[in-house]
Amino acid sequence: MKKIIAFSGSNNPASINGQLLHSLVKSNYQFDIDHVDLTNQEIPIFSQGFLPNFIPEGIVDLHKKIGESYGVVLASPEHNGLPSAYLKNIIDWLSVIEHQFFQGKPVLLLSSSPGETGASSQLHLLSNLLPYWGGKLMASYSLGSFYENFSEEEVRITNPKEQEKLARAFHAFVRNRPISSIKNSDVVKGY
């Protein structure tokens, strides 16, 4: 079975993007998904002053896991229209190990927000930067109006149309086919 690495670009333990990612992992239990939690790692703000003697252990481990995986699912919050400073810091550290740290792997980008756009502005930015970092974007999904469309208690999307969109995106990712080539009839119900 293919190993998938999943991580969030938020350091907030109650992050809605973390919850969205957790729901994806939970509903796809039949896949070998390693949900990497970086919030318990010591990852200082990147500075050239640390190099070449220090790279955080959590970053070295994440890079190794990406290399050994089939692909990466990344959930990214939006702060002022951009990816979070926390995610930018992870990216800065990973790029020290290898500029194209996604190593040619397929990537699925996720985001959510309380607002209607679902943090899609920063997803667009990340989508454009992925090839620069060695990632192959298979799909992206943003869940708008998080609190109206998601049950935190059940850890799942409650809106069937949104659930179907996420299923379609995940299907494109695991098939290593860009979402534009996946027809709705191709998607296995419930993933």
Side-chain angles (χ1 to χ4, degrees):
M1 179 173 291
K2 300 173 182 175
K3 170 74 102 186
I4 296 168
I5 299 302
F7 71 97
S8 172
S10 175
N11 59 349
N12 175 359
S15 164
I16 61 176
N17 286 278
Q19 291 179 60
L20 178 62
L21 183 64
H22 183 68
S23 75
L24 179 81
V25 172
K26 179 182 165 189
S27 64
N28 289 286
Y29 58 88
Q30 69 274 33
F31 291 91
D32 185 8
I33 303 176
D34 182 1
H35 187 178
V36 178
D37 181 5
L38 296 171
T39 60
N40 57 7
Q41 302 285 326
E42 286 290 325
I43 304 174
I45 298 295
F46 176 78
S47 168
Q48 290 285 341
F50 286 114
L51 303 176
N53 300 322
F54 174 78
I55 296 175
E57 187 178 321
I59 296 296
V60 172
D61 186 51
L62 177 61
H63 182 264
K64 181 180 177 194
K65 286 180 177 186
I66 291 171
E68 295 171 350
S69 75
Y70 158 77
V72 178
V73 179
L74 170 58
S76 175
E78 182 175 284
H79 295 170
N80 299 312
L82 298 168
S84 69
Y86 181 74
L87 177 58
K88 172 70 166 67
N89 192 48
I90 292 168
I91 289 167
D92 288 343
W93 278 113
L94 284 169
S95 69
V96 167
I97 298 172
E98 179 177 355
H99 180 72
Q100 293 198 329
F101 55 86
F102 281 117
Q103 305 169 57
K105 308 291 181 171
V107 177
L108 169 61
L109 295 175
L110 306 177
S111 70
S112 189
S113 75
E116 291 180 13
T117 64
S120 58
S121 297
Q122 61 86 32
L123 268 191
H124 180 70
L125 178 62
L126 285 175
S127 296
N128 289 332
L129 290 170
L130 261 181
Y132 183 70
W133 299 322
K136 296 187 320 185
L137 181 66
M138 292 298 115
S140 64
Y141 170 77
S142 63
L143 177 65
S145 305
F146 178 83
Y147 296 104
E148 289 81 34
N149 291 308
F150 195 92
S151 168
E152 293 180 90
E153 193 173 281
E154 298 174 27
V155 192
R156 69 176 187 87
I157 296 173
T158 55
N159 181 322
K161 287 182 182 176
E162 291 299 324
Q163 182 61 35
E164 182 63 27
K165 287 179 191 175
L166 181 56
R168 188 170 185 260
F170 187 74
H171 186 79
F173 167 72
V174 296
R175 297 288 178 158
N176 199 11
R177 289 172 46 202
I179 196 162
S180 58
S181 70
I182 302 289
K183 298 179 180 124
N184 283 339
S185 59
D186 290 340
V187 178
V188 177
K189 299 298 179 199
Y191 297 37

